[in-house]
Amino acid sequence: MGVDWAALEEAIRVTALRHAAEVITGHPDQDFYAIALHGVSTEESESIAMPLLALNSVQALERDRVTASREELVERGEDADEPADYEDRSDAQLEDPVEAEDVTLEEDSVVISDAEDDDEFEGEDQEFDDDEDLDQVLASLEEGLDQDDSESFYSDKWEPSDWHWSSIDLCEDPAAGIWSDAMTDLASHEGWEPTIRRYYGTLVAVANSLREELQQRTTADLVCYVADEEHAEKLLKLCLTDQQLSKYFPQLTELVEGE
């Protein structure tokens, strides 16, 4: 069984274009910045899967990052904020306060009897420490975000599996199974590497076509690419324009110029 690569490319292109256009036009308040084809592994396996389509917007990325930071604080038990309308339960039992004893310093015969005032100051110190700890946590998170470089290709900004629209099927059964079986059968006869290389070439052609066609429908500078962590740099060079490489991945541009 052979593979009609031209027919496969056209099938993926038409479906991906339709889904991408529907998402973009359906969310006019979102600034979309990237579209990716992903989910196809280059490592040899029992079958070759059809790709998934993913899109993301600036607003969705920011919202997801805020949510992730909040969830991390809650999991670590360091989010002490309470709702404005929070009240103790009416049946809550408060612990009996411990009565402080007067302490007499025999040497100077001085009696300390302001234990209640000391407790009050200790409570204020504890509240101050809690606020200070929370500030330190937030500062640490911000510092960590800067260190990870939130704009780099290996950040969540460019990881399609983390995006808001992350797994749109481009082909349903039985068609998906037919294409998958055909490519898997071809790989068993002609070898995995040449088959998967040809398949990725087809996906790159689809990504380039998506960028060109969507640019005619929107003013957004959409970055359309095939995502695979092991071959990220090569795929970006094949999918992005020179202007996009220079704008979004300047370090990669320097590597290209140095070759």
Side-chain angles (χ1 to χ4, degrees):
M1 180 186 297
V3 176
D4 187 339
W5 294 107
L8 177 61
E9 177 182 333
E10 182 65 9
I12 296 175
R13 184 193 68 80
V14 171
T15 308
L17 180 61
R18 175 169 57 84
H19 283 300
E22 288 177 353
V23 172
I24 293 173
T25 57
H27 301 82
D29 58 329
Q30 302 286 304
D31 299 314
F32 287 88
Y33 67 88
I35 297 175
L37 297 173
H38 69 112
V40 178
S41 175
T42 57
E43 296 183 0
E44 188 169 353
S45 60
E46 295 181 355
S47 63
I48 299 178
M50 293 293 286
L52 297 172
L53 177 69
L55 301 88
N56 209 24
S57 68
V58 174
Q59 292 82 357
L61 175 65
E62 294 177 351
R63 182 174 62 250
D64 290 343
R65 283 179 171 176
V66 170
T67 300
S69 297
R70 176 75 177 183
E71 290 176 349
E72 182 178 352
L73 285 174
V74 172
E75 289 177 359
R76 293 167 57 180
E78 295 174 345
D79 187 356
D81 294 341
E82 295 177 344
D85 58 350
Y86 175 83
E87 294 182 2
D88 286 329
R89 287 175 45 182
S90 59
D91 59 346
Q93 295 182 356
L94 301 178
E95 296 182 359
D96 294 333
V98 178
E99 296 182 359
E101 297 181 356
D102 293 343
V103 179
T104 302
L105 301 181
E106 297 180 355
E107 182 177 355
D108 298 326
S109 299
V110 177
V111 177
I112 301 177
S113 59
D114 54 349
E116 293 181 359
D117 293 337
D118 289 342
D119 289 342
E120 181 178 353
F121 284 116
E122 289 178 3
E124 293 178 357
D125 291 341
Q126 183 64 41
E127 292 178 1
F128 177 81
D129 291 340
D130 290 342
D131 292 340
E132 186 176 20
D133 291 343
L134 183 56
D135 291 340
Q136 291 175 351
V137 171
L138 294 175
S140 176
L141 288 175
E142 293 176 356
E143 182 180 357
L145 186 60
D146 292 338
Q147 292 176 349
D148 292 339
D149 190 1
S150 61
E151 298 296 315
S152 72
F153 179 75
Y154 295 100
S155 69
D156 56 348
K157 180 176 182 178
W158 302 105
E159 175 48 60
S161 61
D162 292 337
W163 292 353
H164 186 73
W165 298 271
S166 62
S167 55
I168 302 175
D169 289 322
L170 294 179
C171 191
E172 299 180 356
D173 287 329
I178 294 174
W179 284 116
S180 177
D181 291 343
M183 289 187 288
T184 303
D185 181 70
L186 182 65
S188 67
H189 289 86
E190 298 187 4
W192 176 273
E193 185 174 344
T195 302
I196 205 70
R197 185 186 298 115
R198 183 67 181 85
Y199 187 21
Y200 261 75
T202 298
L203 297 180
V204 168
V206 171
N208 287 326
S209 179
L210 284 176
R211 183 189 67 251
E212 294 171 359
E213 295 192 49
L214 288 172
Q215 281 182 340
Q216 298 176 5
R217 307 187 185 190
T218 177
T219 58
D221 183 24
L222 291 171
V223 176
C224 301
Y225 63 101
V226 181
D228 179 74
E229 187 171 333
E230 293 185 5
H231 305 86
E233 295 181 359
K234 292 181 179 179
L235 290 170
L236 286 175
K237 295 175 187 177
L238 293 171
C239 295
L240 275 63
T241 65
D242 293 339
Q243 292 78 7
Q244 287 179 329
L245 281 174
S246 178
K247 178 180 180 180
Y248 298 105
F249 309 105
Q251 294 180 345
L252 184 58
T253 303
E254 294 174 0
L255 292 176
V256 174
E257 294 175 350
E259 293 180 351

